[in-house]
Amino acid sequence: MNRPSWDEYFMAFTKVAASRSTCLRRHVGAILVKDKRILATGYNGAPAGMKHCLEVGCLRENTSIPSGTRHELCRGLHAEQNAIIQAAFHGISIKGSRLYCTNKPCVICSKMIINAGIRSVCYEEGYEDPLADQMLNEAGIILERFQP
């Protein structure tokens, strides 16, 4: 019997979370884990109760905004942001946790990760953002690319 490693196990959950995404461009999932327990999950999409891009179209696509730029011009939140927000909403401390995500965090998410006290990030696919890398490194946050 081949049991998955803990990283394989938790990365599988990020893909399930990503399947809930309402983004027309990219499906991203994230989970926060501490002591081998899932604390919160997130996927990219519009705030609760708001119309999703599936319903109203993609502002970024319709105005030809390139990927990785002008993050504020989007109806949706990133998966990492939603996982952090869900933990806060439910009063769950994520200090010292590990973030698993399908994609490498952008600089905005990286700043939230730093201030939330997350200790490490495990991601599967690259998303090049040199400032995010620099800030995570400066904050002493371990950034690991998942290799299945």
Side-chain angles (χ1 to χ4, degrees), residues 79-99:
E80 304 93 322
Q81 294 169 338
N82 271 326
I84 292 168
I85 291 165
Q86 283 302 308
F89 185 85
H90 294 288
I92 299 166
S93 173
I94 57 174
K95 183 179 180 183
S97 66
R98 179 170 174 85
L99 175 74

Side-chain angles (χ1 to χ4, degrees), residues 6-19 28-34 36-44 78-87 94 97-103 105 113 118-123:
W6 284 111
D7 283 346
E8 290 169 331
Y9 177 74
F10 291 126
M11 285 303 292
F13 281 97
T14 67
K15 291 176 179 63
V16 173
S19 72
V28 181
I31 66 168
L32 289 161
V33 175
K34 188 171 182 181
K36 298 180 180 136
R37 301 290 180 259
I38 296 173
L39 304 175
T41 66
Y43 55 87
N44 56 328
H78 289 185
E80 304 93 322
Q81 294 169 338
N82 271 326
I84 292 168
I85 291 165
Q86 283 302 308
I94 57 174
S97 66
R98 179 170 174 85
L99 175 74
Y100 288 87
C101 45
T102 56
N103 291 78
I113 288 164
I118 295 167
R119 68 169 172 78
S120 65
V121 175
C122 181
Y123 69 95

Side-chain angles (χ1 to χ4, degrees), residues 100-136:
Y100 288 87
C101 45
T102 56
N103 291 78
K104 189 175 177 186
C106 71
V107 70
I108 295 170
C109 291
S110 294
K111 290 185 270 187
M112 292 179 71
I113 288 164
I114 293 164
N115 276 359
I118 295 167
R119 68 169 172 78
S120 65
V121 175
C122 181
Y123 69 95
E124 188 165 34
E125 295 181 27
Y127 179 87
E128 290 312 310
D129 191 330
L131 182 56
D133 293 347
Q134 177 189 348
M135 293 184 81
L136 291 169

